[in-house]
Amino acid sequence: MSDNLGNLELIHVFYWLKELLLSTGLGEPYVTIVSYVVLGAVTFGVLALLALFLVWWERKIAAHIQQRFGPMRTGWHGWYQTIMDAVKLLQKEDVRVDKRDKFVFFWAPVVCFVAAFLAYVVMPFGNQLIVADLSIGILYVLAVTTFTVISLLMAGWGSNNKYALLGGMRSAAQVVSYEVPMVAAILTVIVYVGSLSMVDIVEAQSGLFINWFIFKLPFGPIAFIVYIIAATAEANRVPFDIPEAEQELVAGFNIEYSGMKFAMFFLAEFVNMFTVSAIAVTLFFGGWNGVFLPSWVWFLGKTFLVVLLLMMFRWTYPRLRVDQLMEFAWKFLVPLAFANLILGSIMKYLGWYW
Amino acid sequence: MSEYLSVLIFAVTGAAIVLFTFFISKLIRPHNPYPEKGVTYECAEDAIGDSWIRFNPRFYIFALIFVIFDVEVIFLFPWAVAFGELGLFALVEMVIFILILFFGLFYAWKKGVLKWV
């Protein structure tokens, strides 16, 4: 269905590199390791570029929603503003608080970024454009992205700062609560696919857009809305950003961080936002499926639309209180998500879908 | 198994790149610490005591409910994958299972555990 012209070229470059490595006389296991390292570095580069773009885009959208211009001085509409920000953060002094827990304080940003980064092992960027099609796909993504919570708790505890500790604790309570409805929404899709692999999920939606799960599932829109609310909370974004609520906790868990360590938290936040959007696209909007254009263009285009949705949430909704947040998760989203799961599986059994 | 090797390699590569940027930044940034810089930030107030203190048990109760639901979800994953082959029996079983857990949630709700303060 989809024209994967662009993909095949990318894949051919990869195989050509692998052949080149094999011809130098290295053994097969070493070549596999080297090729995965190269893929990891390439993925990191792509993610860094994406994060730079998303930060700029978010600032522009925020500005235009508030009838401002946003960054305008650096290049055309400030297009290299975030690159200059990254260069500036690279040269900033690393101010460290004296009473910190040295080990935990140092490793928190590393764990935070690696947890966000690991999800990209199974991310189906396009037809065959996937690092490794693990058979546990979506379960694996849920498992590794949850490590972000541990890093936020590490940052909160390691800083020895009351604001940071409050931010870390709130984030733990919040992510833990919204994990349950999110998984229930994902399971609704899994019941119809019968596989956890990301590639199988996308291929089950091939064909016209009517086959996308948001339309195909009996209550697809409900599953999607539950997922997107829970995903916003998972990514710690407004209206669920109480872990870093600027007005009450100053900056929450990353209050004592500066320079490159702060930059890593920031990068991980935007990578996480892209991850949850990409998974929403994979589960509900047909992933790379589309016509005429290469499949990775479809995937990125759809993902950017979902990211745009998350950004518009951020700049148009007020922040919730902690108690409202928890009650909303446990008293509304969890029952709704599980009711949807039960109804969806009953309809799957009866065959009431196309 | 080589697919799962990629996970390990990605973890190591990601951590290495992050540590590398820390190293690059260490080479070019200034380093000028003095006592005021190391003080815990608390909006210009001197912090009273450590923040390594006992914390609100509310978080603990939410974590407890979460563990129950997370275990439920672990059971649901294989059920969802094999749902197509299992048929009516599995459907009824799982509906009963979810209803039992929701009875528990409802009990916690009526007990007032889900209220924040």
Side-chain angles (χ1 to χ4, degrees):
Chain A
M1 187 76 203
S2 66
D3 169 25
N4 48 25
L5 194 73
N7 298 339
L8 286 181
E9 277 159 13
L10 286 173
I11 293 161
H12 281 160
V13 169
F14 177 67
Y15 279 117
W16 176 76
L17 275 174
K18 211 168 172 178
E19 287 296 316
L20 195 73
L21 277 170
L22 274 172
S23 66
T24 58
L26 273 169
E28 175 66 41
Y30 298 106
V31 171
T32 311
I33 289 173
V34 170
S35 57
Y36 278 137
V37 169
V38 170
L39 277 178
V42 169
T43 313
F44 180 87
V46 170
L47 288 182
L49 281 180
L50 274 176
L52 287 178
F53 171 71
L54 287 180
V55 173
W56 172 81
W57 201 32
E58 168 138 51
R59 290 181 66 177
K60 286 311 253 190
I61 286 173
H64 285 285
I65 285 177
Q66 297 169 347
Q67 305 209 332
R68 298 183 281 119
F69 283 121
M72 287 297 275
R73 300 294 175 96
T74 45
W76 182 79
H77 283 258
W79 69 270
Y80 64 85
Q81 178 71 46
T82 44
I83 300 174
M84 301 318 282
D85 286 347
V87 172
K88 184 196 75 177
L89 277 171
L90 199 62
Q91 342 170 8
K92 279 287 174 189
E93 183 183 350
D94 191 17
V95 180
R96 287 168 248 179
V97 63
D98 285 336
K99 288 206 251 169
R100 71 189 186 277
D101 183 323
K102 287 202 177 64
F103 180 79
V104 175
F105 186 82
F106 180 80
W107 285 100
V110 182
V111 173
C112 190
F113 179 74
V114 170
F117 182 58
L118 274 180
Y120 285 84
V121 173
V122 295
M123 201 59 80
F125 277 104
N127 196 356
Q128 298 177 34
L129 211 60
I130 180 170
V131 176
D133 179 25
L134 302 185
S135 55
I136 52 167
I138 190 83
L139 180 62
Y140 163 83
V141 172
L142 287 171
V144 291
T145 48
T146 312
F147 271 96
T148 312
V149 190
I150 295 176
S151 76
L152 301 191
L153 271 178
M154 281 167 78
W157 185 259
S159 305
N160 198 354
N161 182 312
K162 292 186 185 83
Y163 290 128
L165 184 64
L166 265 175
M169 287 292 185
R170 282 180 177 189
S171 129
Q174 168 185 325
V175 173
V176 145
S177 298
Y178 280 86
E179 183 93 12
V180 178
M182 182 168 162
V183 173
I186 290 173
L187 278 170
T188 318
V189 173
I190 300 299
V191 165
Y192 282 80
V193 182
S195 165
L196 296 173
S197 148
M198 300 291 259
V199 171
D200 287 352
I201 293 172
V202 175
E203 278 175 353
Q205 308 174 64
S206 60
L208 279 176
F209 71 90
I210 205 78
N211 280 341
W212 297 355
F213 277 134
I214 191 167
F215 303 119
K216 193 178 179 184
L217 254 52
F219 298 101
I222 293 179
F224 173 68
I225 289 167
V226 169
Y227 174 81
I228 205 75
I229 290 173
T232 318
E234 289 274 305
N236 289 330
R237 305 256 319 158
V238 180
F240 305 104
D241 78 328
I242 53 157
E244 45 189 287
E246 286 87 355
Q247 290 85 355
E248 34 182 313
L249 293 182
V250 198
F253 58 87
N254 58 24
I255 185 168
E256 293 288 1
Y257 285 89
S258 59
M260 225 35 216
K261 290 193 180 115
F262 171 74
M264 278 306 150
F265 278 117
F266 210 67
L267 178 62
E269 189 190 322
F270 276 85
V271 169
N272 266 332
M273 182 168 75
F274 192 79
T275 310
V276 293
S277 311
I279 292 176
V281 167
T282 310
L283 289 174
F284 297 104
F285 294 107
W288 70 64
N289 287 309
V291 285
F292 303 128
L293 292 168
S295 53
W296 58 274
V297 174
W298 276 103
F299 180 80
L300 284 183
K302 288 174 191 171
T303 309
F304 279 132
L305 280 182
V306 180
V307 168
L308 180 67
L309 189 68
L310 290 184
M311 285 180 178
M312 284 163 71
F313 284 165
R314 170 156 184 184
W315 296 102
T316 47
Y317 287 126
R319 178 181 299 132
L320 294 175
R321 278 200 325 257
V322 185
D323 57 335
Q324 293 169 335
L325 191 89
M326 302 305 265
E327 286 186 10
F328 181 63
W330 287 106
K331 296 184 180 172
F332 182 73
L333 274 190
V334 172
L336 178 67
F338 276 96
N340 189 26
L341 173 62
I342 292 176
L343 264 180
S345 47
I346 288 173
M347 286 185 143
K348 157 91 177 168
Y349 176 73
L350 296 174
W352 286 358
Y353 65 101
W354 63 81
Chain B
M1 247 358 242
S2 89
E3 286 168 343
Y4 289 89
L5 188 67
S6 66
V7 176
L8 180 68
I9 292 173
F10 259 61
V12 174
T13 314
I17 291 173
V18 172
L19 294 176
F20 180 70
T21 55
F22 286 178
F23 175 69
I24 294 285
S25 144
K26 198 183 172 76
L27 291 181
I28 58 177
R29 74 188 174 211
H31 182 62
N32 179 26
Y34 47 85
E36 280 78 19
K37 266 185 191 166
V39 172
T40 304
Y41 176 75
E42 214 156 276
C43 300
E45 297 280 335
D46 280 336
I48 299 171
D50 268 350
S51 60
W52 293 339
I53 46 178
R54 293 189 187 177
F55 218 78
N56 191 345
R58 283 290 154 206
F59 294 108
Y60 166 75
I61 291 176
F62 277 109
L64 213 58
I65 302 176
F66 164 72
V67 168
I68 298 165
F69 272 88
D70 218 29
V71 171
E72 174 190 12
V73 157
I74 290 299
F75 284 122
L76 280 173
F77 263 105
W79 167 78
V81 171
F83 183 75
E85 294 120 54
L86 293 177
L88 184 63
F89 179 68
L91 178 63
V92 173
E93 284 266 284
M94 201 41 81
V95 169
I96 291 171
F97 181 52
I98 291 174
L99 286 182
I100 289 172
L101 273 160
F102 266 84
F103 183 71
L105 181 71
F106 190 68
Y107 176 74
W109 189 339
K110 281 292 144 202
K111 274 286 194 183
V113 174
L114 298 184
K115 273 207 206 87
W116 187 259
V117 185

